[in-house]
Tab-separated table of all heavy atoms in Angstrom:
chain	number	residue	atom	x	y	z
A	396	MET	N	-8.257	14.282	-22.891
A	396	MET	CA	-9.518	14.629	-23.669
A	396	MET	C	-10.508	15.366	-22.724
A	396	MET	O	-10.671	14.957	-21.578
A	396	MET	CB	-10.154	13.342	-24.201
A	396	MET	CG	-11.428	13.561	-24.984
A	396	MET	SD	-12.100	12.013	-25.637
A	396	MET	CE	-12.909	11.371	-24.157
A	397	ALA	N	-11.067	16.442	-23.184
A	397	ALA	CA	-11.936	17.290	-22.377
A	397	ALA	C	-13.048	16.396	-21.832
A	397	ALA	O	-13.581	15.533	-22.518
A	397	ALA	CB	-12.522	18.429	-23.180
A	398	LYS	N	-13.429	16.667	-20.589
A	398	LYS	CA	-14.483	15.827	-19.932
A	398	LYS	C	-15.833	16.006	-20.758
A	398	LYS	O	-16.140	17.164	-21.206
A	398	LYS	CB	-14.698	16.350	-18.517
A	398	LYS	CG	-13.666	15.710	-17.566
A	398	LYS	CD	-14.176	15.657	-16.167
A	398	LYS	CE	-13.183	14.819	-15.324
A	398	LYS	NZ	-12.581	15.477	-14.214
A	399	GLY	N	-16.488	14.936	-20.961
A	399	GLY	CA	-17.786	15.010	-21.676
A	399	GLY	C	-17.665	14.990	-23.213
A	399	GLY	O	-18.687	14.813	-23.879
A	400	LYS	N	-16.449	15.100	-23.736
A	400	LYS	CA	-16.282	15.037	-25.130
A	400	LYS	C	-16.510	13.692	-25.760
A	400	LYS	O	-16.104	12.713	-25.009
A	400	LYS	CB	-14.895	15.564	-25.514
A	400	LYS	CG	-14.607	15.794	-26.997
A	400	LYS	CD	-13.283	16.541	-27.194
A	400	LYS	CE	-13.000	16.850	-28.642
A	400	LYS	NZ	-11.794	17.777	-28.751
A	401	LYS	N	-17.128	13.520	-26.878
A	401	LYS	CA	-17.373	12.216	-27.406
A	401	LYS	C	-16.072	11.718	-28.074
A	401	LYS	O	-15.325	12.444	-28.768
A	401	LYS	CB	-18.432	12.290	-28.429
A	401	LYS	CG	-19.787	12.448	-27.970
A	401	LYS	CD	-20.884	12.155	-28.967
A	401	LYS	CE	-22.242	12.523	-28.569
A	401	LYS	NZ	-22.707	13.809	-29.150
A	402	LEU	N	-15.805	10.421	-27.784
A	402	LEU	CA	-14.561	9.822	-28.230
A	402	LEU	C	-14.351	9.994	-29.764
A	402	LEU	O	-13.327	10.296	-30.228
A	402	LEU	CB	-14.608	8.321	-27.901
A	402	LEU	CG	-13.257	7.557	-28.081
A	402	LEU	CD1	-12.128	8.194	-27.306
A	402	LEU	CD2	-13.433	6.105	-27.764
A	403	GLU	N	-15.474	9.848	-30.493
A	403	GLU	CA	-15.357	9.936	-31.946
A	403	GLU	C	-15.084	11.327	-32.408
A	403	GLU	O	-14.733	11.590	-33.566
A	403	GLU	CB	-16.601	9.412	-32.704
A	403	GLU	CG	-17.960	9.975	-32.291
A	403	GLU	CD	-18.629	9.254	-31.042
A	403	GLU	OE1	-17.806	8.685	-30.241
A	403	GLU	OE2	-19.883	9.408	-30.905
A	404	GLU	N	-15.251	12.373	-31.521
A	404	GLU	CA	-14.937	13.783	-31.934
A	404	GLU	C	-13.475	14.143	-31.519
A	404	GLU	O	-13.046	15.191	-31.795
A	404	GLU	CB	-15.910	14.695	-31.201
A	404	GLU	CG	-17.257	14.685	-31.853
A	404	GLU	CD	-18.377	15.328	-30.992
A	404	GLU	OE1	-18.024	15.946	-29.970
A	404	GLU	OE2	-19.582	15.164	-31.281
A	405	ALA	N	-12.823	13.203	-30.781
A	405	ALA	CA	-11.495	13.520	-30.344
A	405	ALA	C	-10.430	13.053	-31.412
A	405	ALA	O	-10.385	11.798	-31.653
A	405	ALA	CB	-11.219	12.874	-29.048
A	406	ALA	N	-9.794	13.952	-32.018
A	406	ALA	CA	-8.865	13.562	-33.105
A	406	ALA	C	-7.662	12.784	-32.563
A	406	ALA	O	-7.149	13.045	-31.452
A	406	ALA	CB	-8.314	14.883	-33.774
A	407	PRO	N	-7.247	11.746	-33.285
A	407	PRO	CA	-6.124	10.950	-32.890
A	407	PRO	C	-4.823	11.679	-32.937
A	407	PRO	O	-4.779	12.728	-33.587
A	407	PRO	CB	-6.151	9.794	-33.866
A	407	PRO	CG	-7.204	9.993	-34.846
A	407	PRO	CD	-7.814	11.289	-34.563
A	408	HIS	N	-3.822	11.161	-32.308
A	408	HIS	CA	-2.477	11.697	-32.355
A	408	HIS	C	-1.972	11.711	-33.770
A	408	HIS	O	-2.426	10.925	-34.587
A	408	HIS	CB	-1.487	10.895	-31.488
A	408	HIS	CG	-1.776	11.110	-30.018
A	408	HIS	ND1	-0.868	11.474	-29.076
A	408	HIS	CD2	-2.965	10.951	-29.297
A	408	HIS	CE1	-1.396	11.588	-27.933
A	408	HIS	NE2	-2.660	11.224	-27.993
A	409	HIS	N	-1.065	12.594	-34.127
A	409	HIS	CA	-0.421	12.713	-35.452
A	409	HIS	C	-1.372	13.314	-36.504
A	409	HIS	O	-1.064	13.109	-37.682
A	409	HIS	CB	0.190	11.443	-35.909
A	409	HIS	CG	1.339	10.909	-35.060
A	409	HIS	ND1	2.350	10.136	-35.559
A	409	HIS	CD2	1.702	11.142	-33.777
A	409	HIS	CE1	3.192	9.870	-34.658
A	409	HIS	NE2	2.841	10.514	-33.522
A	410	THR	N	-2.522	13.899	-36.099
A	410	THR	CA	-3.417	14.414	-37.188
A	410	THR	C	-3.518	15.974	-36.919
A	410	THR	O	-3.242	16.464	-35.851
A	410	THR	CB	-4.814	13.843	-37.028
A	410	THR	OG1	-5.437	14.238	-35.840
A	410	THR	CG2	-4.728	12.302	-37.033
A	411	PRO	N	-3.896	16.731	-38.003
A	411	PRO	CA	-3.970	18.124	-37.941
A	411	PRO	C	-4.940	18.675	-36.919
A	411	PRO	O	-4.940	19.838	-36.499
A	411	PRO	CB	-4.406	18.593	-39.375
A	411	PRO	CG	-4.191	17.399	-40.242
A	411	PRO	CD	-4.253	16.211	-39.342
A	412	ASP	N	-5.972	17.885	-36.560
A	412	ASP	CA	-7.029	18.332	-35.611
A	412	ASP	C	-6.734	17.843	-34.150
A	412	ASP	O	-7.573	18.088	-33.265
A	412	ASP	CB	-8.403	17.788	-36.080
A	412	ASP	CG	-8.782	18.296	-37.444
A	412	ASP	OD1	-8.629	19.506	-37.644
A	412	ASP	OD2	-9.112	17.506	-38.303
A	413	PHE	N	-5.597	17.235	-33.964
A	413	PHE	CA	-5.201	16.803	-32.662
A	413	PHE	C	-5.268	17.938	-31.593
A	413	PHE	O	-4.780	19.000	-31.863
A	413	PHE	CB	-3.793	16.251	-32.759
A	413	PHE	CG	-3.169	15.848	-31.346
A	413	PHE	CD1	-3.512	14.673	-30.808
A	413	PHE	CD2	-2.301	16.711	-30.758
A	413	PHE	CE1	-2.935	14.298	-29.523
A	413	PHE	CE2	-1.723	16.294	-29.533
A	413	PHE	CZ	-2.064	15.181	-28.916
A	414	GLN	N	-5.838	17.652	-30.499
A	414	GLN	CA	-5.936	18.659	-29.390
A	414	GLN	C	-5.863	18.010	-28.037
A	414	GLN	O	-6.324	16.866	-27.845
A	414	GLN	CB	-7.388	19.337	-29.596
A	414	GLN	CG	-7.310	20.749	-29.258
A	414	GLN	CD	-8.641	21.444	-29.606
A	414	GLN	OE1	-9.453	20.938	-30.378
A	414	GLN	NE2	-8.841	22.560	-29.025
Side-chain angles (χ1 to χ4, degrees):
M396 180 178 78
K398 280 206 169 120
K400 191 167 179 170
K401 287 196 191 101
L402 190 59
E403 55 272 25
E404 284 164 13
H408 290 236
H409 293 208
T410 69
D412 299 311
F413 173 79
Q414 217 172 339

